[in-house]
Each structure stands twice: as C-alpha cells, then as structure tokens.
Amino acid sequence: IPSLYYKNPFIVAIPKRKQDEDSSPYSTAITNHYYKKIEVKRVNQQVIFDGYGLGFGVCKLGYATRFGADIEDDELEKRREKEKKVGLLEKLGLRKPKEVEELPKNVEQNEFIIAESPYITWINPFNFGIDPKATSIYDADYCYEIITTTLDRVKNNKNYKNTKDLKGMDLEPTFQKNIPPNQIEKFKPIKLLEIHYKTEDGINILVMPMDEGDDIALRHDESIYDIDGFQYELLDFNKHGHKLYPKSEIDIIKPLQDRINNTFENILDQLDKFVSKIIVDETGMTEAGKKALRDGQLGSICFSNKNPNE
C-alpha cells in the first residue's frame, strides 16, 4: 500500500501534435495546480485503501459551477465573453475597474467541491453498483450510486424536479422537536438512487428518491459532459474477465494469514506450557539468593551457601 498511497506525482502534459507544444507547459501547470487545490491525493488514498481492502475503489469526476456539481451554467459562455470585453476596456482605461464577483462557497456538502472548478470525490463502494451482466464498468450498460443528502439540498438543486411532495427520512423525535419547523428540511436526510445509463447518443442520468413510495423521477436527462464512458473511475488490483467484482488482497492473503496466526498461537501455547524449571538445593541458597531466583531478572546475583560449581 505505501508504494502507491504516499506518492506525490508531478503530472506532465505531453503534446500529441506539434502545434500543441507551446501550450503543453500551461496544461501541465494547470493540472498540477488543481491536483493540489481539490485534494486529489486525499481521494486517491481512500480509493487505494478500498482497492486493497474491498477489491475495488471508486471515485467520481466532474465540474462544479456556481450552482453546484454537475449543474450546467447556461450563461457561462456569455458571461465569459462579456468579462473579456470589459477587461479589455479596463486595460485601455475606458472603463472603471469593477470589484471581482465572489463565487458562492460550499456549493455542495463536500467542502472540496469548489464553484467554477473540477472536482473528484470518493464514492463508498458499498453504495455503488454496476450492471450485473457486464464483466467490467467499461462494457456495462449502467452503473448506479446511492446518495444520502438533505431534503433542503434536493429541493434547491436546479437539476431536480418533482420535489414538492418529498418527505425525507424521519429524525430522532427528541432532536426534531428542538428544530424550528421552517428549518426542518435542512436537517432531514433523504436517500437518492442516481443511475447513469448508456444510450446511442451518450450517457443519460436518472435520479429517483428511495423509500418514498411511488417511483418519482427527480431527474431524467442527458449528462452535461461530452466524455467517453461514465463519470466514475474504478481502481482494482486483481481484475480479470471472469467476474464483475474482483477479489480483494485481504481475501487472497487471509487463508495464509490465518495459518501464520494459528502457527504463532501454537508456538506461544507450547512456550507457556514448557517454561524452564529450576531445581534448587533449598539448603544451598541464601534467602537473598532464593529471592533473586524467584524474581527471575536478567543479570540477577544469586548467593549460595555452597560452591556454585558443584
């Protein structure tokens, strides 16, 4: 695990075309900047640990706008073009510089998902599943994730609809009575099932609430990303084509580890039963000598009444 777990890679962008040689250093600098900014190493460590312990680790990649993760900003291009023109006028002294607009903080529960920035998040493998007829995520028709969030965040998510009648999960009564009724939705948890499935045109996303009775589609549309495959990346160390989910290192090593542990237990048991016994001539030892023998400390001086050589 340490051979991968503690590495701090420096990422180098290598151009495939001659005309990209000048821009590759910028790509290198930007990529390494975001690698540190969005705490990629922290997620990598969690995924590597899952890969060894559970068989596979999962992470999710995407981009966060000012409205949240994976939510398209329709005005982004127009706003960027406008900012370019305004910036040019400011440089020419034809316009008074304006204050920089602050982006919203904590657009998601995860504090490392920052507005106007790419993101990478760790996904709990116990909350993730793949099309069971596939042999890997690459030939799967769909994959899914179980998400636990708050009712308030679901209702304020621009991607979701049909949220009016959602109730969420019940809170502990003693805790709930101390919350103002108009704030209760900020504390009520709700579980969502987010399914990503392939179509001829790309990836579609279907989101449904769990444990809410009838199946309600909170979201059912095309992914905003133009990418090959799913947003999820899997890491495993023992994958083969015969099974969908690989065997973990712990499962492989456990029989041998159990045998080693059992062997050590048997050795210690023998040591406990066959501790060295000392036979002493009771009249041949002084009282201080007997005490030194009983204490059994290394380097003890045991005084005797007779010649020790005999």
Side-chain angles (χ1 to χ4, degrees):
I1 292 178
S3 66
L4 295 175
Y5 202 73
Y6 294 107
K7 285 186 180 294
N8 289 300
F10 179 81
I11 302 155
V12 179
I14 301 173
K16 289 186 176 181
R17 304 178 305 174
K18 190 172 181 64
Q19 57 264 41
D20 295 330
E21 289 179 355
D22 292 337
S23 61
S24 63
Y26 295 102
S27 297
T28 295
I30 291 168
T31 306
N32 284 287
H33 166 75
Y34 277 110
Y35 186 89
K36 293 178 181 178
K37 182 179 179 182
I38 62 178
E39 295 280 347
V40 176
K41 181 179 177 179
R42 175 185 54 84
V43 176
N44 284 349
Q45 288 179 331
Q46 292 173 307
V47 171
I48 290 167
F49 187 83
D50 287 341
Y52 278 105
L54 302 174
F56 72 99
V58 192
C59 66
K60 186 179 184 181
L61 310 168
Y63 189 87
T65 64
R66 61 185 57 215
F67 304 112
D70 309 323
I71 300 176
E72 197 165 14
D73 185 353
D74 297 327
E75 300 296 322
L76 181 61
E77 291 302 323
K78 291 181 181 178
R79 195 169 62 252
R80 283 179 175 170
E81 287 299 321
K82 184 178 178 181
E83 286 172 357
K84 284 180 186 176
K85 293 176 183 176
V86 170
L88 180 60
L89 292 172
E90 288 175 357
K91 286 179 180 178
L92 294 172
L94 302 175
R95 187 179 180 124
K96 184 180 178 182
K98 66 172 184 177
E99 293 183 5
V100 178
E101 180 185 0
E102 280 195 28
L103 293 171
K105 295 180 181 178
N106 298 328
V107 290
E108 294 287 340
Q109 285 175 297
N110 189 325
E111 65 182 270
F112 297 104
I113 298 181
I114 306 163
E116 303 300 344
S117 171
Y119 73 82
I120 177 171
T121 57
W122 168 74
I123 303 297
N124 187 337
F126 292 106
N127 292 333
F128 183 80
I130 305 171
D131 175 8
K133 68 179 182 296
T135 58
S136 73
I137 193 170
Y138 305 109
D139 60 2
D141 286 335
Y142 67 88
C143 64
Y144 65 86
E145 175 192 357
I146 297 172
I147 300 168
T148 303
T149 183
T150 61
L151 195 57
D152 176 68
R153 287 185 177 272
V154 171
K155 291 190 173 183
N156 288 318
N157 191 317
K158 285 186 64 177
N159 274 340
Y160 297 155
K161 56 186 179 182
N162 302 323
T163 61
K164 182 181 177 183
D165 297 325
L166 293 179
K167 296 180 177 61
M169 299 159 63
D170 292 330
L171 294 171
E172 198 274 323
T174 307
F175 174 60
Q176 183 168 333
K177 72 179 183 181
N178 294 318
I179 303 172
N182 61 339
Q183 298 291 314
I184 195 71
E185 291 186 351
K186 292 184 178 180
F187 296 88
K188 266 200 165 187
I190 184 171
K191 284 190 175 183
L192 307 178
L193 181 64
E194 183 175 306
I195 304 168
H196 294 233
Y197 67 93
K198 292 177 180 176
T199 68
E200 292 181 358
D201 299 322
I203 303 295
N204 277 14
I205 299 174
L206 171 63
V207 180
M208 297 183 296
M210 300 176 68
D211 307 319
E212 289 277 344
D214 296 333
D215 291 337
I216 307 166
L218 303 182
R219 178 187 179 190
H220 195 188
D221 50 29
E222 293 182 13
S223 169
I224 64 171
Y225 301 111
D226 183 17
I227 55 175
D228 294 327
F230 299 107
Q231 279 180 256
Y232 301 94
E233 289 290 339
L234 268 63
L235 176 71
D236 52 69
F237 300 101
N238 298 299
K239 187 74 177 77
H240 54 71
H242 304 298
K243 286 185 178 180
L244 174 57
Y245 295 106
K247 203 171 185 180
S248 73
E249 299 282 342
I250 287 179
D251 286 333
I252 294 170
I253 200 70
K254 192 174 184 300
L256 179 59
Q257 187 68 55
D258 288 344
R259 187 177 180 187
I260 292 171
N261 290 341
N262 190 45
T263 302
F264 274 112
E265 285 175 6
N266 289 333
I267 292 171
L268 292 172
D269 188 47
Q270 292 295 319
L271 289 174
D272 291 340
K273 289 179 180 177
F274 297 99
V275 174
S276 300
K277 306 297 189 294
I278 301 173
I279 300 174
V280 182
D281 178 354
E282 190 174 6
T283 62
M285 299 294 297
T286 65
E287 289 302 317
K290 293 177 184 177
K291 185 177 180 182
L293 281 177
R294 281 196 303 270
D295 290 345
Q297 294 179 356
L298 292 174
S300 297
I301 300 174
C302 305
F303 295 98
S304 68
N305 295 322
K306 298 181 181 179
N307 182 358
N309 292 324
E310 297 174 1

